[in-house]
């Protein structure tokens, strides 16, 4: 067991990182007093949960980082957990940002858009929707009911004729002066009322206007109001009323389920249940629930997410005050963590608990895959972090390597990377690219993978091994290769189903006898396919950008340097075409004369306004 000496650690607040014998971070925690918290791990071992006993048995070194306050320690802990993904932490592997509706308010003619990020610019946000399909369906309904502009600010400024949305009755065309400012403002108010949960008020107002239009024999206008009412009612009836007051809150509950701890999260907006999500933490029990809840709150509610003013929890947290302060800083306003008030809130908490009890791991099929991989690939431990590298080029040009990462059986896209090799341009040498990539991966350092999968066979494995050996990192993690095999060995056979995959290991001449269709092979194929999809997508994007850059550089007044300035400022050819002279004058590095030439040249490409 680790030889803990209290005199080696500070008494103040901070964060501690526990390392195993291989130097990997296996746990990150925070404490008001570091020495007291660390000492608690090595006293009364029989009182610890099974997870904590396993953790303590693997500690080889403890590193501490002191902070000025407990809140700073909380924020640093969340950041380090996201970076290291420690095995014994409650790690939220859901990296998706859910869809929100955003009503811009800074513009004279606001528009309603879908977004996945919250920006503190005065806009009104509504959501979240865990299903982007459901969100888009609702957005389309609202677009028909409230014909606000759909175009972006840059396009709005440069447009000279109405777009298609105006011709099909879904935009009042304020971009070309066809919209009455008062009528548009009335639409915006109705949208705000709807998003604020006052759909009944909106329907009542539209009903009165429909009746007035009908009495004045303006039947087409009355029909428009009728269609708006139907669209709103169809949207609202899908949302159940769960609280008597129009409040916004997120409801979080936990329950012990099959094989682990479930966490249910419900989104209540203006008293209506909008959506929900459940999470599963395998191998944990109710004794781990307090840590699970605190860890979830700090990892889930980042500044770019929608954070309601109130979060409903099953019990009061010991560090509630610190959490409230940290979340309020991210939200830009007060946040309260509390237990249910009255019967309706207890009922919605029970609903969240029922969802938590039904939570299952995202990769429900083949939950024994890590153990199967450990046995099949002769690994020392079950692989949690799996990395996969794939090299791609087109006739030797545009040589690139793509790295994808899976953690806990699901993609961890924050760690995806693309590598370029200008020195190998035109060579088509995959082996040289893999060796160079391996050296660069070793230089990047931890977190190391528990398994590095290479798209290729023995030759590709040898190239990666050589690169790692040169960098002194050959023994840091195990390697495996996945390569296609044609037929049964008796000759080429490209019939459907004859193409299979074989798995190779560095010290083995023959492929491993993994059964086709087995869970472990299917998982490795899934990881390889994701790496292939990722690098091919980056290749296509790069080639498109290169072709457009060549087209740009063929225009008078635009060379490589100017093309780079345009790309950095506008990001797409469409945005360049739509840019006004004033926009171009705002680009750092473009003088007035060059901006005029560039503007004229861009208009010659067509598609400009």
């Amino acid at each position: 067991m680790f030889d803990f000496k209290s005199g080696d650690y500070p008494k103040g607040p901070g964060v501690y990182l526990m390392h195993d014998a291989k130097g990997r971070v296996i746990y990150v925690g925070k404490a008001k007093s570091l020495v007291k918290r660390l000492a608690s791990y090595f006293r009364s071992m029989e009182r610890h949960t099974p997870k904590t006993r396993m953790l303590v048995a693997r500690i080889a070194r403890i590193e501490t980082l002191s902070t000025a306050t407990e809140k700073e320690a909380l924020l640093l802990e969340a950041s380090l957990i996201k970076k290291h993904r420690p095995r014994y932490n409650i790690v939220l592997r859901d990296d998706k940002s859910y869809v929100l509706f955003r009503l811009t308010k800074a513009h004279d003619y606001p528009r309603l858009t879908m977004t996945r990020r919250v920006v503190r610019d005065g806009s009104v946000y509504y959501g979240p929707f865990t299903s982007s399909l459901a969100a888009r369906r609702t957005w389309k309904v609202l677009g028909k009911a409230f014909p606000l502009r759909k175009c972006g600010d840059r396009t709005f400024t440069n447009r000279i004729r109405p777009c298609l949305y105006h011709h099909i009755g879904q935009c009042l065309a304020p971009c070309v002066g066809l919209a009455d400012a008062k009528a548009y403002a009335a639409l915006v108010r109705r949208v705000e009322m709807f998003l604020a949960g006052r759909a009944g008020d909106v329907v009542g107002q539209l009903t009165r206007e429909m009746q007035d239009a009908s009495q004045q024999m303006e039947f087409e206008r009355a029909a428009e109001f009728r269609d708006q009412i139907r669209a709103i009612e169809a949207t609202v009836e899908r949302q159940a009323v769960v609280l008597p007051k129009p409040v916004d809150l997120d409801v979080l509950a936990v329950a012990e389920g099959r094989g682990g701890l479930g966490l249910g999260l419900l989104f209540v907006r203006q008293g209506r249940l909008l959506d929900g999500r459940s999470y599963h933490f395998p191998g944990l029990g109710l004794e781990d629930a307090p840590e699970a809840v605190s860890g979830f709150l700090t990892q889930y509610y980042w500044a770019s997410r929608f954070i309601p003013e109130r979060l409903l929890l099953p019990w009061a947290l010991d560090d509630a005050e610190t959490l409230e302060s940290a979340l309020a800083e991210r939200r830009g306003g007060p946040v309260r963590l509390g237990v249910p008030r009255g019967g309706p809130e207890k009922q919605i908490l029970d609903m969240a608990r029922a969802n938590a009890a039904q939570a299952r791991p995202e990769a429900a099929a083949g939950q024994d895959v890590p153990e199967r991989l450990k046995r099949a690939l002769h690994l020392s431990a079950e692989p949690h972090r799996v990395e996969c590298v794939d090299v791609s080029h087109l006739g030797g040009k545009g040589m690139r390597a793509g790295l994808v990462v899976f953690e806990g059986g699901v993609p961890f896209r924050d760690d995806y990377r693309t590598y370029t090799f200008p020195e190998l341009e035109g060579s088509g040498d995959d082996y040289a690219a893999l060796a160079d990539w391996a050296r660069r991966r070793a230089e990047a350092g931890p977190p190391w993978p528990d398994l590095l999968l290479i798209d290729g066979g023995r030759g590709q494995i040898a190239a990666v091994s050589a690169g790692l050996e040169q960098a002194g990192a050959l023994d840091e993690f195990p390697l495996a290769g996945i390569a296609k095999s044609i037929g049964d060995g008796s000759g080429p056979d490209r019939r459907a189903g004859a193409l299979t995959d074989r798995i190779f290991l560095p010290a083995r001449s023959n492929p491993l006898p993994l059964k086709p269709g087995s869970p472990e092979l299917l998982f490795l194929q899934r990881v390889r396919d994701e790496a292939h999809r990722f690098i091919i997508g980056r290749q296509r994007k790069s080639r498109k950008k290169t072709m457009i850059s060549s087209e740009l550089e063929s225009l008078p007044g635009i060379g490589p340097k100017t093309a780079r300035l345009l790309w950095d400022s506008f990001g797409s050819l469409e945005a360049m075409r739509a840019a006004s002279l004033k926009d171009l004058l705002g680009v750092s590095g473009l003088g007035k004369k060059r901006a005029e030439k560039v503007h004229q040249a861009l208009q010659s490409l067509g598609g400009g306004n």
Side-chain angles (χ1 to χ4, degrees), residues 378-419:
H378 313 298
L379 304 175
S380 59
E382 295 180 7
H384 170 67
R385 180 184 175 96
V386 178
E387 298 182 3
C388 182
V389 61
D390 185 16
V391 170
S392 176
H393 60 85
L394 184 63
K397 296 182 180 180
M399 180 75 73
R400 278 173 170 73
L403 176 74
V404 300
V405 179
F406 277 60
E407 290 197 351
V410 296
F412 182 45
R413 293 182 175 83
D414 285 356
D415 279 6
Y416 283 21
R417 296 290 183 270
T418 305
Y419 301 78

Side-chain angles (χ1 to χ4, degrees), residues 241-247 268 270-272 341-345 347-348:
V241 177
V242 291
L243 294 176
K245 295 182 180 180
V247 297
V268 178
Q270 295 299 303
R272 294 179 178 272
R341 304 171 182 167
E345 290 192 357
Q347 290 177 4
I348 188 66

Side-chain angles (χ1 to χ4, degrees), residues 152 214 218 220 316 322 325 335 457 490 499:
S214 178
E218 297 178 357
E220 290 186 6
T322 304
S325 178
V335 175
S490 60
L499 199 63

Side-chain angles (χ1 to χ4, degrees), residues 134-185:
R136 182 164 293 279
R137 184 183 299 119
T138 301
W139 181 80
K140 287 182 177 179
V141 170
L142 294 177
K144 294 177 181 178
F146 308 109
L148 304 182
R149 68 181 176 100
K150 310 296 189 296
C151 58
D153 291 350
R154 191 186 299 277
T155 304
F156 180 90
T157 303
N158 292 279
R159 190 176 293 282
I160 60 175
R161 54 184 176 272
C163 65
L164 178 61
Y165 281 110
H166 173 71
H167 294 295
I168 62 175
Q170 294 186 26
C171 178
L172 298 181
C175 55
V176 292
L178 297 182
D180 177 74
K182 291 184 178 180
Y184 197 94

Side-chain angles (χ1 to χ4, degrees), residues 203-268:
V203 170
Q205 184 177 341
L206 290 173
T207 300
R208 288 191 296 272
E209 294 188 19
M210 177 183 68
Q211 293 171 348
D212 290 342
S214 178
Q215 290 176 1
Q216 296 174 18
M217 304 188 69
E218 297 178 357
F219 298 117
E220 290 186 6
R221 187 161 169 262
E224 291 176 2
F225 291 130
R226 179 203 61 198
D227 293 341
Q228 290 179 11
I229 292 170
R230 288 177 178 175
I232 293 170
E233 289 176 339
T235 301
V236 172
E237 69 184 9
R238 292 194 293 268
Q239 303 169 3
V241 177
V242 291
L243 294 176
K245 295 182 180 180
V247 297
D248 289 352
L249 55 84
D250 285 0
V251 185
L252 188 150
V254 295
E256 200 166 21
R258 190 180 305 167
L261 186 69
L263 186 150
L265 181 65
L266 300 180
F267 310 121
V268 178

Side-chain angles (χ1 to χ4, degrees), residues 82-323:
K82 185 176 182 180
K83 176 182 178 182
H84 294 287
R85 318 290 283 183
R87 179 172 183 175
Y88 290 96
N89 275 99
I90 304 298
V91 179
L92 182 61
R93 298 189 178 91
D94 178 16
D95 62 344
K96 295 187 295 185
S97 296
Y98 299 137
V99 176
L100 299 162
F101 288 156
R102 177 181 180 229
L103 182 64
T104 59
K105 299 299 294 293
H107 199 280
D108 292 338
Y109 293 96
R111 67 174 181 143
L112 185 68
T113 62
M114 293 195 304
T115 182
R116 292 181 183 270
R117 294 182 61 84
V118 173
V119 181
R120 310 298 174 188
D121 60 354
S123 297
V124 177
Y125 291 89
Y126 182 72
F129 295 86
T130 59
S131 168
S132 58
L133 179 63
R136 182 164 293 279
R137 184 183 299 119
T138 301
W139 181 80
K140 287 182 177 179
V141 170
L142 294 177
K144 294 177 181 178
F146 308 109
L148 304 182
R149 68 181 176 100
K150 310 296 189 296
C151 58
D153 291 350
R154 191 186 299 277
T155 304
F156 180 90
T157 303
N158 292 279
R159 190 176 293 282
I160 60 175
R161 54 184 176 272
C163 65
L164 178 61
Y165 281 110
H166 173 71
H167 294 295
I168 62 175
Q170 294 186 26
C171 178
L172 298 181
C175 55
V176 292
L178 297 182
D180 177 74
K182 291 184 178 180
Y184 197 94
L187 277 179
V188 172
R189 285 194 297 272
R190 287 172 185 165
V191 171
E192 290 183 278
M193 290 169 64
F194 176 83
L195 296 183
R198 296 169 55 192
D201 294 344
V202 178
V203 170
Q205 184 177 341
L206 290 173
T207 300
R208 288 191 296 272
E209 294 188 19
M210 177 183 68
Q211 293 171 348
D212 290 342
S214 178
Q215 290 176 1
Q216 296 174 18
M217 304 188 69
E218 297 178 357
F219 298 117
E220 290 186 6
R221 187 161 169 262
E224 291 176 2
F225 291 130
R226 179 203 61 198
D227 293 341
Q228 290 179 11
I229 292 170
R230 288 177 178 175
I232 293 170
E233 289 176 339
T235 301
V236 172
E237 69 184 9
R238 292 194 293 268
Q239 303 169 3
V241 177
V242 291
L243 294 176
K245 295 182 180 180
V247 297
D248 289 352
L249 55 84
D250 285 0
V251 185
L252 188 150
V254 295
E256 200 166 21
R258 190 180 305 167
L261 186 69
L263 186 150
L265 181 65
L266 300 180
F267 310 121
V268 178
R269 299 295 177 261
Q270 295 299 303
R272 294 179 178 272
L273 179 59
L274 181 67
D275 211 333
R277 184 69 200 272
S278 60
Y279 299 83
H280 186 273
F281 302 110
L284 301 184
L286 285 177
E287 65 273 13
D288 301 298
E291 180 189 355
V293 172
S294 294
F296 179 87
L297 292 174
T298 55
Q299 293 179 55
Y300 181 83
Y301 289 107
W302 285 95
S304 60
R305 283 196 190 271
F306 179 85
I307 305 177
E309 185 175 349
R310 185 161 171 247
L311 302 174
L312 190 62
L313 306 178
W315 59 78
L317 298 176
D318 293 338
D319 54 350
E321 186 176 344
T322 304
L323 280 165

Side-chain angles (χ1 to χ4, degrees), residues 470-542:
Q470 185 177 346
L474 182 58
D475 297 326
E476 292 290 352
F477 42 83
L479 312 179
I482 179 169
K484 296 257 181 226
S485 172
I486 304 297
D488 58 4
S490 60
D493 185 357
R494 296 186 178 273
R495 293 172 300 176
L499 199 63
T500 60
D501 285 302
R502 298 186 297 175
I503 306 300
F504 294 89
L505 298 181
R508 183 186 175 103
S509 58
N510 296 323
L512 293 172
L514 267 65
K515 184 179 179 180
S518 63
E520 61 270 31
L521 181 57
L522 289 173
F523 173 74
L524 294 176
Q525 289 170 329
R526 178 190 171 202
V527 175
R528 185 271 319 278
D529 292 345
E530 173 68 3
H532 188 67
R533 179 204 64 76
F534 173 67
I535 189 60
I536 291 299
R538 291 303 177 94
Q539 276 280 11
R540 289 172 177 167
K541 185 176 180 180
S542 175

